[in-house]
Amino acid sequence: MVVTQRQSEEEDQKEAMVGKCEKCRREMIRHEYYAGPQGAVDYDPERWGRSDDLIPQFPTLMGSMEYAEIRNSEEGRVCKECGHVNNLLDTNIWGWPRAVEQTRRVNAAHRAIVQAAAQADAKIAEEAAE
Ligand SMILES: [Zn+2]
């Protein structure tokens, strides 16, 4: 895998993951996405999470995970040029799914704590009124 990076000086931070055939080296997949961070013009809080998430998903991790899902699908593994069935991309060494899932769990736990605190506050207020 080759990583090429260029920081955009304009508003949009477009990124792409490109997969090439292991046998003929032709481009098989090009997955493009906007990876502007939270607060950037092109950042969409609903794209990979919820607007009330305590910890926003890191767009590059989500885009990379989407690429891996496409690349590891049955259709995504077969080269349209030479028919070679490419090996599965090992996402464990990159850690994208793990990082995305951990962020989801942190956000779900945060919402559960906020909800439990609101219920406890309501119960305390209810008991005080009795
Ligand atoms: Zn090929």
Side-chain angles (χ1 to χ4, degrees), residues 52-114:
D52 64 344
D53 282 346
L54 179 67
I55 308 294
Q57 292 285 356
F58 189 53
T60 297
L61 292 176
M62 292 298 298
S64 299
M65 197 174 88
E66 286 176 342
Y67 164 77
E69 288 170 359
I70 296 165
R71 168 63 180 72
N72 284 341
S73 68
E74 275 192 44
E75 187 182 348
R77 291 178 61 196
V78 179
C79 177
K80 289 178 178 63
E81 293 292 330
C82 74
H84 177 69
V85 180
N86 287 262
N87 291 319
L88 287 169
L89 178 67
D90 182 3
T91 58
N92 288 327
I93 58 172
W94 293 91
W96 305 317
R98 185 175 53 251
V100 167
E101 185 57 30
Q102 286 171 345
T103 302
R104 282 187 181 135
R105 289 181 187 192
V106 165
N107 287 319
H110 177 252
R111 276 190 288 279
I113 289 169
V114 168

Side-chain angles (χ1 to χ4, degrees), residues 4-77:
T4 305
Q5 194 166 26
R6 182 182 66 83
Q7 181 62 46
S8 172
E9 293 180 6
E10 286 130 34
E11 290 181 346
D12 296 339
Q13 180 60 46
K14 196 174 190 180
E15 295 191 7
M17 296 284 290
V18 176
K20 292 187 175 187
C21 175
E22 297 160 345
K23 189 174 176 190
C24 73
R25 305 305 303 156
R26 293 223 172 85
E27 184 175 312
M28 294 173 36
I29 300 164
R30 175 174 289 268
H31 179 61
E32 295 180 334
Y33 54 94
Y34 287 100
Q38 186 180 30
V41 173
D42 60 338
Y43 181 78
D44 177 3
E46 303 288 333
R47 169 86 166 87
W48 287 307
R50 293 172 42 162
S51 59
D52 64 344
D53 282 346
L54 179 67
I55 308 294
Q57 292 285 356
F58 189 53
T60 297
L61 292 176
M62 292 298 298
S64 299
M65 197 174 88
E66 286 176 342
Y67 164 77
E69 288 170 359
I70 296 165
R71 168 63 180 72
N72 284 341
S73 68
E74 275 192 44
E75 187 182 348
R77 291 178 61 196

